[in-house]
Amino acid sequence: MEYVIEMLNIRKEFPGIVANDNVTLQVKKGEIHALLGENGAGKTTLMNVLFGLYQPEKGEIRVNGEPVKITNPNIANDLGIGMVHQHFMLVDPFTVTENIILGKEPSKAGKINLKDASKKVRELSERYHLSVDPDAKIKDISVGMQQRVEILKTLYRGAEILIFDEPTAVLTPQEIKELMIIMKSLVNEGKSIILITHKLKEIMEVCDRVTVMRKGVGIGTVNVSESDPNSLASLMVGRDVVFKTEKKEAAPADVVLDINGISVKDARGIQAVNQLSLSVRAGEIVGIAGIDGNGQTELVEAITGLRKTISGSIKINGKEIQNLKPRKISESGVGHIPEDRHKHGLVLDYSIGENIVLQTYYQKPLSKSGVLNYSKIFDQARNIIAEYDVRTPSEYTPARALSGGNQQKAIIGREVNRNPDLLIAAQPTRGLDVGAIEFIHKRLIEQRDNGKAVLLISFELDEILNVSDRVAVIYEGEIVAIVNPRETTEQELGLMMAGSKRMEVGGKSRG
């Protein structure tokens, strides 16, 4: 059997943790091979070994049957291996072409020849149907386009084997469809692709084979055509996973969050939220469905005090909180799981234990007269780490060393543990595996059943329909419809989200 990549019995250790424990991965030429596993299963570590960012303690790598030592990414590039990272490695003020040639600049008489480079980028873009403008600046193009630039960067360097690390985590549904088409066209041109993911739908759609990892160990490789999402989920998590969240009928009580006619401007000074009204009651989950960029971010920032409103009113339990400082709002009974966990959820260089008390460190018993009581802080952190299954070597480990899913569980533990009257969950399962998603959905429903109000903002329509008791559709900063999730479909929601179908939002349906 001709394999383009063989990683045989790879072992990679970090202090206190074995990230890859004797893992074997074999990729055939011209296939899309999925690497599937929970957050923290060791998938990205294994690919960082293949790309030369880490050196393994043990094991052998072969490219086209030949044993190789990949001590840095330049060697990986020379061997025809390219990696499209989850967090893009692009320079915002530079053009597409300047980013693509960075480090491999073509020159004539000592001067960079941008004209030739731009021509080559355009030819590559057309050949692989990527539709990228070589002269556009990175800061002016969409996230989906930036990802295409990363793909072009690997192709420009002559990559025959492309590693995609969670490529759909930040894309809209339309961009995901387009990426799938691009991946198929790359394979048709003779490339081979390794796709790191935990989205089972994507694996079923584009992959030929899948290697499953669990807690750093390779569980095995199966043909996608002989598998199904349920069996893959069981292999990945080590138990049966429930895709449909079980919940009893909601029993909404008093209004907790009451938003009346608020307008908010975005960072560019353009109105992003327009005279929006919405209420959320104790004992219900209200989901906000909308295409990215329709005012969801600004709405959440306005409720949590991170952005000023220009008009209207926001009340929690009948008390006005509009334009108060974030700490005052938090103390009014608002919990916030932010959409960007790195920017607004964690201080990455603090320990995970310190991050877990970021909302309460100044209160007794965690501090007294301004002096922190570290033994109490880490006691509390240990309890939350255990209760929320945050997988970390210890509570003293820096937050940045944890996988995305475990960072998210820590944030959710911190917010839910405060027992807020209103829990705002913005993209709470973005980039998480099915096991972690199931866990988080249960926690949101638990909050609801304990008589709390939950506001869920998500781009995942199946999540909105599965978890919410009512769905508010946002379009161009307005709520254009409020529907019962049991009486609508993804298609109908999609039409409303695109603004082509409106329903009366008034009177009783608002409450």
Side-chain angles (χ1 to χ4, degrees):
M1 167 56 66
E2 172 75 14
Y3 292 115
V4 283
I5 293 286
E6 289 177 272
M7 301 184 79
L8 306 172
N9 305 315
I10 300 293
R11 183 177 176 88
K12 179 66 200 156
E13 299 170 16
F14 296 107
I17 195 162
V18 179
N20 294 151
D21 189 359
N22 236 20
V23 180
T24 290
L25 170 73
Q26 295 172 305
V27 181
K28 297 175 187 173
K29 183 170 172 54
E31 76 169 343
I32 302 180
H33 192 115
L35 192 53
L36 172 69
E38 290 184 275
N39 303 103
K43 311 181 295 289
T44 300
T45 300
L46 186 68
M47 287 302 98
N48 283 337
V49 167
L50 179 59
F51 194 57
L53 290 166
Y54 296 149
Q55 302 309 304
E57 271 68 41
K58 208 182 94 183
E60 184 181 36
I61 298 174
R62 292 181 193 162
V63 177
N64 295 317
E66 296 294 318
V68 292
K69 284 261 182 280
I70 305 177
T71 49
N72 65 55
N74 289 333
I75 293 173
N77 283 328
D78 293 343
L79 289 165
I81 300 167
M83 188 161 178
V84 179
H85 297 272
Q86 186 176 356
H87 301 289
F88 306 149
M89 313 277 185
L90 299 171
V91 184
D92 273 0
F94 282 17
T95 65
V96 167
T97 300
E98 286 165 343
N99 269 280
I100 287 169
I101 65 171
L102 204 56
K104 287 266 182 197
E105 296 88 349
S107 61
K108 266 187 187 166
K111 286 180 83 174
I112 293 176
N113 189 339
L114 265 177
K115 201 174 165 192
D116 278 7
S118 180
K119 191 172 162 220
K120 187 178 175 188
V121 168
R122 194 176 293 280
E123 283 166 5
L124 276 172
S125 171
E126 283 167 9
R127 180 177 165 187
Y128 294 103
H129 313 295
L130 291 165
S131 322
V132 174
D133 173 4
D135 304 316
K137 283 200 161 61
I138 294 296
K139 62 179 168 47
D140 298 330
I141 61 177
S142 70
V143 171
M145 250 335 142
Q146 288 181 24
Q147 188 175 61
R148 293 177 187 204
V149 176
E150 285 280 16
I151 296 169
L152 270 174
K153 206 158 74 173
T154 65
L155 297 172
Y156 181 85
R157 284 159 173 69
E160 290 297 320
I161 299 128
L162 283 84
I163 305 162
F164 285 85
D165 188 359
E166 300 283 1
T168 62
V170 290
L171 301 186
T172 65
Q174 186 53 43
E175 287 171 333
I176 291 171
K177 272 197 191 112
E178 288 162 7
L179 177 67
M180 299 292 160
I181 294 165
I182 289 164
M183 287 167 81
K184 284 175 181 168
S185 83
L186 286 165
V187 167
N188 290 339
E189 290 270 354
K191 310 289 184 194
S192 309
I193 292 176
I194 302 171
L195 172 66
I196 304 177
T197 186
H198 43 240
K199 292 195 175 173
L200 302 168
K201 204 156 58 174
E202 289 162 16
I203 291 177
M204 299 311 296
E205 205 171 307
V206 291
C207 295
D208 301 294
R209 293 191 306 143
V210 52
T211 294
V212 182
M213 288 182 70
R214 193 191 315 146
K215 294 182 180 170
V217 178
I219 299 297
T221 300
V222 296
N223 291 323
V224 172
S225 59
E226 295 162 12
S227 193
D228 61 73
N230 287 29
S231 59
L232 287 178
S234 303
L235 277 175
M236 170 167 114
V237 182
R239 60 177 172 78
D240 287 342
V241 175
V242 182
F243 288 97
K244 186 95 182 86
T245 312
E246 291 303 314
K247 57 177 187 184
K248 58 182 196 231
E249 197 66 31
D254 297 339
V255 172
V256 174
L257 172 68
D258 193 15
I259 301 173
N260 213 330
I262 66 162
S263 296
V264 188
K265 287 184 175 172
D266 67 12
R268 299 163 301 171
I270 296 163
Q271 193 157 311
V273 177
N274 185 15
Q275 296 283 310
L276 183 144
S277 297
L278 182 71
S279 65
V280 187
R281 294 173 180 272
E284 74 167 348
I285 298 174
V286 172
I288 291 189
I291 297 164
D292 193 7
N294 274 274
Q296 299 95 316
T297 299
E298 290 77 11
L299 172 63
V300 170
E301 288 176 344
I303 302 169
T304 53
L306 297 172
R307 188 174 291 280
K308 294 268 187 268
T309 61
I310 48 178
S311 67
S313 138
I314 306 172
K315 290 179 178 168
I316 293 287
N317 295 322
K319 286 194 181 128
E320 186 64 63
I321 60 157
Q322 182 182 228
N323 295 339
L324 292 181
K325 291 228 164 26
R327 181 181 282 187
K328 276 270 174 271
I329 292 172
S330 172
E331 287 169 347
S332 310
V334 178
H336 178 207
I337 299 161
E339 66 177 288
D340 187 331
R341 53 179 166 257
H342 287 176
K343 216 185 231 170
H344 296 127
L346 299 163
V347 181
L348 289 169
D349 291 323
Y350 281 14
S351 71
I352 198 65
E354 288 165 318
N355 272 284
I356 282 172
V357 300
L358 276 182
Q359 292 276 36
T360 47
Y361 69 89
Y362 59 91
Q363 296 168 353
K364 287 179 178 172
L366 304 183
S367 74
K368 193 177 175 188
S369 312
V371 179
L372 296 175
N373 182 335
Y374 272 98
S375 74
K376 289 266 194 303
I377 282 172
F378 286 111
D379 276 352
Q380 184 168 318
R382 268 190 295 275
N383 291 338
I384 291 177
I385 285 166
E387 190 184 342
Y388 286 82
D389 187 30
V390 180
R391 294 175 195 175
T392 172
S394 84
E395 59 274 27
Y396 306 108
T397 303
R400 72 166 67 251
L402 272 64
S403 72
N406 286 304
Q407 290 173 349
Q408 190 74 345
K409 283 183 188 173
I411 293 169
I412 287 167
R414 174 180 77 207
E415 298 303 320
V416 170
N417 194 59
R418 288 173 46 234
N419 208 16
D421 295 329
L422 170 71
L423 179 63
I424 299 170
Q427 317 300 340
T429 59
R430 176 185 272 170
L432 303 193
D433 60 70
V434 284
I437 290 170
E438 182 192 33
F439 178 89
I440 286 162
H441 287 174
K442 277 185 180 158
R443 290 295 173 154
L444 295 179
I445 289 162
E446 221 170 75
Q447 283 299 99
R448 175 201 87 158
D449 291 346
N450 289 339
K452 305 298 180 181
V454 179
L455 182 63
L456 168 67
I457 298 94
S458 175
F459 301 140
E460 304 284 345
L461 288 187
D462 50 357
E463 173 166 73
I464 287 278
L465 291 168
N466 191 8
V467 179
S468 311
D469 301 305
R470 289 190 298 142
V471 178
V473 181
I474 193 167
Y475 174 68
E476 292 189 344
E478 294 177 46
I479 300 295
V480 294
I482 291 182
V483 293
N484 182 331
R486 289 188 298 281
E487 293 165 9
T488 189
T489 61
E490 283 196 25
Q491 286 70 24
E492 192 177 37
L493 274 184
L495 284 172
M496 292 184 236
M497 283 159 52
S500 60
K501 182 175 179 182
R502 289 176 85 97
M503 290 172 78
E504 264 321 299
V505 182
K508 279 193 280 191
S509 74
R510 232 199 90 223

